[in-house]
Amino acid sequence: MVDETDRPGHHVGTKEMISCTGIKKTFGDFVALHGITTSVMEGEVVVIFGPSGSGKSTFIRTLNRLEEHDEGKIVIDGVELNNDLRNLDKIRSEVGMVFQQFNLFPHLTVRRNITLAPMRVRRMPKAEADRLAERLLERVGMPEQIDKYPAQLSGGQQQRVAIARALAMEPKIMLFDEPTSALDPEMIKEVLDVMRELAQSGMTMIVITHEMGFAREVADRFLFFDEGRIVEEGTPEHFFENPREERTKLFLSQIL
Amino acid sequence: MATIVRTSPTPILRRARRWAKDNLFGSVGNTLLTVVTSAILGFVLYQILRFVFITAEWEVIETNRRLLFIGRFPAGEEWRFWPTIFVASALAGLTWGLWSRLEWQAAMILAAALVPVFAFFAHGELALLTAAAVALAVLGYGLAQLWLTGSGYSAAARQLVMVGWVITFPLTIFMLLAFGGVDPSLWGGFYLNILLAVVGIVVSFPLGVLLALGRTSSYPVLRVASTAYIELIRGVPLITILLMTWLVLPIFLPSIAVPVLAPEGLDDMELTYRVMVALVLFSAAYVAEAVRGGLQAVPRGQIEAAQALGMGTFSVLAFIILPQALRAVIPALVGQFISLFKDTSLIFIVGSTDLLKAGRAITQGQIEFSSQEKEVLLFVALVFWVVAFSMSRLSQRLERTMGVGER
C-alpha cells in the first residue's frame, strides 16, 4: 500500500484489523470463494464491487461468521474466527453489520431496536442504553423518530436506524452489504451522508456498493470481485484512471 | 333550503330501495336467491322462536342450575369458587379496558346471550354474588379506560394484569384443594369444562412452543423426538387418548407419590388429573404445529441481524424469533384453544360430569324432566357458544392491537 493516499478527514493506521488468508467457501457444488487473501488496516475504508454472484456478499458475511468459511484463516483484531464460541461472541460484538434489506426488528420500536443488543449482550442498564439510543439517533439525524416502529419509517430512515443499531454495540469494524441497493433514489443520499460521516470519524469499514461517486470519495482502497476471486485491487484513482484487467474495465463501463 | 326540506325525508327511503335493488334484486337469479334464502331463514327463525318462547319448558334448567354449573360439588363448599371468579372478572374488565375499547356490537350480542343465563340463575345470594362479579368487571374496565390508558402507568398496569392472570390459575387450584379441599372426582359441571380448558391452554402452550422449537431444531435427536411425538398425537383421536389415559397410562407410570397431584402414586392419579394430562398432551401437538408455521414465517434476515449484533441463541429466540412467530399465529392458536375448550365435553367418556354430561344425566335420571332433552341441549350449546364466541372476538382484537400482517 505504498501508493495509498489518506482520504480527507481520516487516517489509515498501521494496525491490522482484518486479516484473511486463502478464504474458501462452497455451497454444494458451487464455489463461492476461491481463496480470498487480503487485509484491512485500522481506520481504512475498503469498497468492494463486482457483478452479482461474484462472492462479495459471501466474503463479508464470513467476516462475522454469518457464513462459515470452509478453508483459510480469518483474524479479526487479533482474534481468530473459528469454532470457539467465545471468540465468535467477541468478534460479533466488535463487528457491526448493515444489510441491504435493513432487517430492523418490526415488532420493536426504534428505541428498542437500538437498545436491545447493548442491554442483552453488554448488560447495559436501561437508562444508559436509552441515552445511547438518543445520542445515536441524533448522529444519524433522526432524533424525533425514537418511539416509532420501523414500518412507520421510510426506507432511508430505516437504514439509518439500522446503522445506529449496529453502532450501539460500539463496533471497531463496520460491514455494509449493499446498504443503498433497496432504497428509492431520493433516499440514497441521506444514508451515504451518514456513512461518509462514519468514515471520516475513523471507523474501519468494508462497504459493498455500486455508488461509485461515493466510493471514490471515501474509499482508501477498492477490491473488484468476480467469480469468487479478487480480480483487481488498488486506490480509487487507479480504478478510475487506468484499471489493469479487461473484466474490470468492462464492468466499470457498465456501471458508470 | 327549500330543496333540502323537500327532499330530506326521501333519501333514506330511496337509498334503502336502491340498496335493496342493487344487492337483493339485481337480477332474476339474485331475486330468486333472495326469496328462497329469506323463506328458509324465516322458517328456521320461526321454528326456533316458537320453541324457545312457547313450546319449551325451561324449569329444567332453573331446577338443575347447580348440577349444570358445578356438578356434584358438595353443598356448603361453593365459597371456594367465588374468590377466583371475582379475581377473574376484575382482570377481564381490566384486560378489556387496557388492551382495547368496548365493542358495542360484540358486547350487545354477549349481553343478549347472558340474559337467559341470568334469568335462570340469579336468585337470592347468588344474585348478589353474580352482580358483584359483573360489577367488578365493569369497574375494572372503567378504571382501565378512564384512568390507566394513556397515562404513564398503562405499561405497568398491563404487566400487573398479566401477572394477575398467571396467578389466577394456581389460585383456582389452591381454592379447590386448600382448607379441607374437595376431592377432584367431585369437580364437575361447566366449572370443570372451564378448568380443563384453562389447564389445557396454559400448560399446552409452553409445551407446544418447546415442541415446535424441537421440531425446527438442528439437533437431530430433538428434531426426531419432537416430530415423532407431534405426528403420533395428531394421528390419534382425542377420545382414544382420553380412554388411554384412563386405562393404559397407569401401566406405564411408576408408583411414585407426588404431593397434591398424586399422593397415592402416579399410577393411581385422580382421573380428573389424568384427563388434564391427556388434554395437555393432545393440545400441545397442535399448538406445536401452529407455532412451527410462525417460526418458518420469520425471515432469515431477522436472525442474521440479531446474530450480527452478538446476541446469543437464547436472546435471539426470546426477543426476536418467538415474539414475531407467535404474533403471526394468534388466529391459529386461538382456533386451537377454542377447539380444546369445546373438546373438554368429551370427558364424559371417562365418567366425569361436565356440563354436557350433567345435562344428559338430568333428562335420563329425573323422570319429571325426561322429555326436556331439547331444552337442556339448547342451553348447553348456548353456554359453550358464549365462551367460544368471546374467545374468538378476543382473538380478532389481539390480532388488530398487535398488528398482525404489518411488516
Side-chain angles (χ1 to χ4, degrees):
Chain A
M1 275 170 262
V2 253
D3 59 348
E4 200 72 275
T5 51
D6 276 6
R7 300 288 109 198
H10 78 281
H11 175 77
V12 176
T14 50
K15 184 180 165 198
E16 204 171 50
M17 287 300 281
I18 301 173
S19 151
C20 303
T21 323
I23 307 305
K24 284 190 182 156
K25 173 73 187 172
T26 53
F27 296 104
D29 291 338
F30 177 72
V31 184
L33 298 175
H34 282 275
I36 303 291
T37 301
T38 188
S39 59
V40 178
M41 296 303 188
E42 188 172 29
E44 194 178 9
V45 177
V46 174
V47 163
I48 300 178
F49 65 102
S52 60
S54 60
K56 51 196 194 306
S57 184
T58 305
F59 170 63
I60 71 165
R61 287 160 58 86
T62 60
L63 298 180
N64 63 355
R65 216 172 182 72
L66 288 182
E67 304 289 357
E68 217 169 298
H69 56 286
D70 300 324
E71 280 175 50
K73 188 174 175 186
I74 300 175
V75 179
I76 309 279
D77 196 15
V79 182
E80 185 177 351
L81 193 52
N82 51 24
N83 283 324
D84 189 331
L85 284 178
R86 276 166 308 172
N87 287 0
L88 181 61
D89 287 347
K90 187 169 187 307
I91 287 169
R92 278 189 173 159
S93 60
E94 282 187 9
V95 180
M97 186 156 190
V98 174
F99 301 83
Q100 183 178 351
Q101 297 296 339
F102 329 137
N103 293 344
L104 289 179
F105 307 131
H107 61 300
L108 302 176
T109 59
V110 167
R111 180 196 302 273
R112 283 286 285 159
N113 262 282
I114 298 174
T115 60
L116 184 63
M119 285 171 68
R120 286 290 138 198
V121 181
R122 294 219 194 281
R123 304 270 154 229
M124 188 183 278
K126 188 178 183 324
E128 196 185 323
D130 275 344
R131 278 200 302 279
L132 177 67
E134 285 157 21
R135 211 165 54 236
L136 286 169
L137 283 177
E138 193 87 48
R139 186 170 175 188
V140 301
M142 39 188 301
E144 67 286 355
Q145 318 282 4
I146 193 160
D147 288 315
K148 290 197 176 160
Y149 283 87
Q152 296 169 293
L153 304 176
S154 71
Q157 289 174 322
Q158 290 193 45
Q159 193 60 298
R160 285 188 281 155
V161 171
I163 295 173
R165 177 177 69 177
L167 290 176
M169 289 302 285
E170 290 165 347
K172 293 182 178 164
I173 300 164
M174 284 284 281
L175 309 173
F176 292 85
D177 189 355
E178 305 209 32
T180 58
S181 303
L183 294 175
D184 291 334
E186 73 272 20
M187 292 167 184
I188 291 176
K189 183 175 176 298
E190 64 191 55
V191 173
L192 294 182
D193 285 345
V194 170
M195 290 168 64
R196 186 178 295 112
E197 186 269 324
L198 202 58
Q200 281 161 3
S201 75
M203 177 68 76
T204 308
M205 288 163 63
I206 300 184
V207 184
I208 300 177
T209 187
H210 292 144
E211 295 291 331
M212 297 314 281
F214 165 80
R216 180 175 200 169
E217 186 190 333
V218 301
D220 298 299
R221 187 151 52 101
F222 277 9
L223 300 179
F224 175 62
F225 267 60
D226 194 17
E227 294 178 341
R229 292 189 176 85
I230 298 177
V231 172
E232 190 161 356
E233 172 173 5
T235 61
E237 287 71 28
H238 164 77
F239 273 85
F240 278 99
E241 281 150 27
N242 64 49
R244 191 179 62 240
E245 302 287 330
E246 279 310 312
R247 270 185 293 175
T248 316
K249 287 178 195 163
L250 180 66
F251 186 74
L252 281 172
S253 73
Q254 282 164 345
I255 63 169
L256 287 176
Chain B
M1 196 63 199
T3 50
I4 291 170
V5 170
R6 193 147 30 84
T7 57
S8 64
T10 47
I12 294 172
L13 241 168
R14 203 187 299 160
R15 230 184 301 153
R17 207 180 303 155
R18 195 183 306 144
W19 183 88
K21 190 175 178 302
D22 289 349
N23 293 288
L24 301 176
F25 307 102
S27 64
V28 178
N30 203 341
T31 308
L32 201 67
L33 203 64
T34 304
V35 170
V36 171
T37 316
S38 318
I40 295 173
L41 268 179
F43 178 73
V44 171
L45 202 65
Y46 168 76
Q47 291 290 348
I48 290 175
L49 289 178
R50 199 172 68 120
F51 176 76
V52 168
F53 291 105
I54 299 166
T55 326
E57 294 172 33
W58 292 107
E59 311 90 76
V60 58
I61 308 297
E62 194 175 347
T63 313
N64 289 292
R65 59 183 193 187
R66 184 192 166 83
L67 187 60
L68 288 168
F69 275 81
I70 55 176
R72 290 176 294 136
F73 207 78
E77 300 281 352
E78 296 86 347
W79 57 271
R80 294 175 182 278
F81 297 124
W82 290 102
T84 2
I85 291 176
F86 286 153
V87 170
S89 321
L91 284 173
L94 279 168
T95 307
W96 206 345
L98 278 172
W99 272 273
S100 77
R101 194 168 273 290
L102 197 60
E103 284 174 283
W104 288 109
Q105 281 173 310
M108 270 155 61
I109 295 173
L110 278 179
L114 282 169
V115 165
V117 181
F118 275 101
F120 289 124
F121 298 102
H123 307 299
E125 195 189 351
L126 199 58
L128 274 177
L129 289 165
T130 315
V134 173
L136 275 170
V138 173
L139 206 68
Y141 176 81
L143 185 73
Q145 278 286 298
L146 298 176
W147 222 49
L148 296 172
T149 306
S151 79
Y153 300 109
S154 78
R158 283 180 182 205
Q159 279 176 355
L160 265 177
V161 168
M162 280 193 267
V163 171
W165 279 119
V166 173
I167 292 175
T168 311
F169 172 56
L171 174 75
T172 310
I173 303 291
F174 175 80
M175 286 310 298
L176 290 174
L177 292 173
F179 316 118
V182 171
D183 195 79
S185 61
L186 297 175
W187 301 355
F190 191 55
Y191 201 78
L192 183 59
N193 291 102
I194 296 280
L195 197 62
L196 290 174
V198 171
V199 170
I201 290 167
V202 170
V203 185
S204 73
F205 177 64
L207 203 60
V209 170
L210 287 178
L211 280 167
L213 291 174
R215 190 167 186 174
T216 50
S217 145
S218 51
Y219 296 99
V221 178
L222 273 180
R223 194 171 58 239
V224 170
S226 308
T227 309
Y229 176 83
I230 293 166
E231 294 306 331
L232 200 66
I233 294 286
R234 293 207 312 156
V236 180
L238 177 57
I239 291 201
T240 315
I241 295 177
L242 283 170
L243 285 170
M244 283 176 76
T245 49
W246 181 27
L247 301 166
V248 184
L249 195 65
I251 303 172
F252 296 105
L253 288 173
S255 56
I256 301 166
V258 177
V260 186
L261 194 61
E264 306 292 320
L266 279 174
D267 54 345
D268 194 23
M269 211 192 316
E270 274 292 348
L271 191 58
T272 310
Y273 295 152
R274 277 188 238 167
V275 165
M276 287 178 180
V277 171
L279 288 171
V280 165
L281 294 180
F282 179 77
S283 174
Y286 289 84
V287 170
E289 280 305 273
V291 172
R292 186 166 69 106
L295 290 175
Q296 285 165 345
V298 177
R300 179 98 201 106
Q302 290 288 309
I303 300 160
E304 289 181 352
Q307 285 175 339
L309 287 165
M311 289 168 67
T313 315
F314 174 78
S315 290
V316 175
L317 200 58
F319 298 101
I320 306 302
I321 301 177
L322 277 182
Q324 295 186 56
L326 294 180
R327 232 166 265 225
V329 297
I330 289 171
L333 279 179
V334 175
Q336 168 53 30
F337 291 149
I338 291 176
S339 319
L340 178 66
F341 164 66
K342 292 184 294 184
D343 284 347
T344 58
S345 61
L346 286 176
I347 58 164
F348 75 91
I349 208 96
V350 294
S352 302
T353 311
D354 78 316
L355 175 63
L356 178 63
K357 173 73 179 177
R360 302 300 293 159
I362 292 165
T363 47
Q364 281 159 8
Q366 302 173 5
I367 299 150
E368 66 271 39
F369 295 127
S370 57
S371 62
Q372 259 98 74
E373 281 178 316
K374 291 192 281 297
E375 286 86 339
V376 172
L377 277 177
L378 208 61
F379 179 78
V380 167
L382 177 74
V383 173
F384 273 112
W385 179 82
V386 166
V387 176
F389 178 73
S390 310
M391 286 168 81
S392 149
R393 297 302 298 205
L394 186 71
S395 142
Q396 289 175 15
R397 252 296 145 191
L398 271 176
E399 281 165 49
R400 246 172 295 160
T401 48
M402 294 187 131
V404 172
E406 278 173 33
R407 271 217 61 85

